[in-house]
Amino acid sequence: MKTMKYLKLALLALVAVFATTSCMDDDWKDPNSETSPYGNNSIQETNVVSIAELKNTYGPKQKDEINDTVRIADGTQIKGIVTGNDIEGNIYSQISIQDDSDKPGIIISVAQGGLSGQLQIGQEVLINVGGLYYGTYRSQPQLGVAYHDSSKDQNYPSRISRADWQNRFKVIGKPDASKIKVQVFSTNPDASKGELNVADLLDADVAYKYAGCLVTLKGVEFAMGDGKTTLAPEDEGKTLGYGVTRYFKGYDKTNKQIGIRTSCYAEFAANLVPQGVVDVTGVLSCYKSSAKYNHTVQLALRRFSDIKASESK
């Protein structure tokens, strides 16, 4: 009897081993570049539109609309390269992607942390956006789910749930940051390289065209680079949504504002505001609280190393 009992236990253990091995083979195919352990690998390209087409079809006039949403048709897909994520905690519950059609980009709002572990900078991704909402939050265009703020009677895109998001995207290939096309704005632009002037961002049409894109501002200097001021102290940010904006010299006045916005929870929030002339790379966004005001241009750094000593001469 004991022999039969031990034999049955051994057989059960053997079955468990095979079952576990089978699961491991399926779940760990990513190191062999067969499938990704994240997202929905069953998604197929069926109705891909460019980000530019999506924005042209569903985008309200962002410079006039402060908070609004419109539903995207079922079955619509977009494909692009990840340009921004939460790698150092500054871009929170969002990713930004852009494609090759004149560098248009878009911000996607997701209720999930640790997105940088799943979608690295330079990762190509296919996304089912049908049923989501395209719209603006304080004039900044983004994708998400519809949300109604009853206290203000306003509609705007909010965060996609974690479960819904995981079912909507498919990772394609391996990350390659060299595929990202960065639009350069310079204080001394070289037109032969396609550079624009930093001052061009004061034009709403230009600013909103590049909203959601990865851009570099060359040859700028922080107005508060005094060797004492930090990027985002919590006591300053607590009345500002726990984010602090540091403007550039010449662009730190009302109706003429360009700077970087840093979360008080970013890993580099306590770093000093850099001194001297620098080149700054970040995901561009535009905000205004009312249609009667001009837009404010803000860059969200992905990591502190996005600020470098300027290469401008």
Side-chain angles (χ1 to χ4, degrees), residues 28 30 36-39 82 84-89 91 94-95 112-123 162 165-166 169 171 173 175 267 303:
W28 293 93
D30 187 54
S36 169
Y38 308 114
V82 176
N85 58 24
D86 56 5
I87 188 169
E88 289 188 7
I91 300 176
Q94 292 180 339
I95 63 165
Q112 182 175 344
L115 290 169
S116 60
Q118 300 182 12
L119 296 169
Q120 299 177 42
I121 302 298
Q123 177 65 63
R162 177 173 181 171
W165 170 245
Q166 288 294 320
F169 77 90
V171 170
E267 292 179 15
R303 50 201 167 217

Side-chain angles (χ1 to χ4, degrees), residues 35-56:
T35 59
S36 169
Y38 308 114
N40 182 355
N41 291 302
S42 67
I43 298 175
Q44 300 297 318
E45 292 188 30
T46 55
N47 185 28
V48 177
V49 300
S50 71
I51 294 174
E53 290 176 301
L54 184 81
K55 296 174 83 168
N56 289 336

Side-chain angles (χ1 to χ4, degrees), residues 4 10 16 22 26 35 43 59 92 103 129 178 186 189 221-222 244 246 252 259 261 269 273 282 289-290 293 310 313:
M4 287 297 294
S22 176
D26 184 59
T35 59
I43 298 175
Y92 178 71
K103 310 183 189 72
V129 295
S178 68
S186 176
E221 189 172 357
F222 285 98
V244 177
R246 299 301 185 204
D252 56 338
R261 184 166 176 82
V273 175
S289 57
S290 171
Y293 298 127
S310 183
K313 298 181 180 179

Side-chain angles (χ1 to χ4, degrees), residues 227-244:
K228 301 177 182 178
T229 304
T230 58
L231 287 172
E234 190 170 342
D235 59 344
E236 184 176 346
K238 63 185 178 183
T239 58
L240 301 169
Y242 289 96
V244 177

Side-chain angles (χ1 to χ4, degrees), residues 33 206 235 250 276:
S33 300
V206 175
D235 59 344

Side-chain angles (χ1 to χ4, degrees), residues 275-288:
Q275 296 177 282
V277 181
V278 293
D279 296 340
V280 182
T281 298
V283 179
L284 188 147
S285 59
C286 302
Y287 287 95
K288 55 182 176 180

Side-chain angles (χ1 to χ4, degrees), residues 107-128:
I107 292 171
I108 304 174
S109 185
V110 182
Q112 182 175 344
L115 290 169
S116 60
Q118 300 182 12
L119 296 169
Q120 299 177 42
I121 302 298
Q123 177 65 63
E124 187 174 19
V125 60
L126 174 68
I127 306 173
N128 279 333

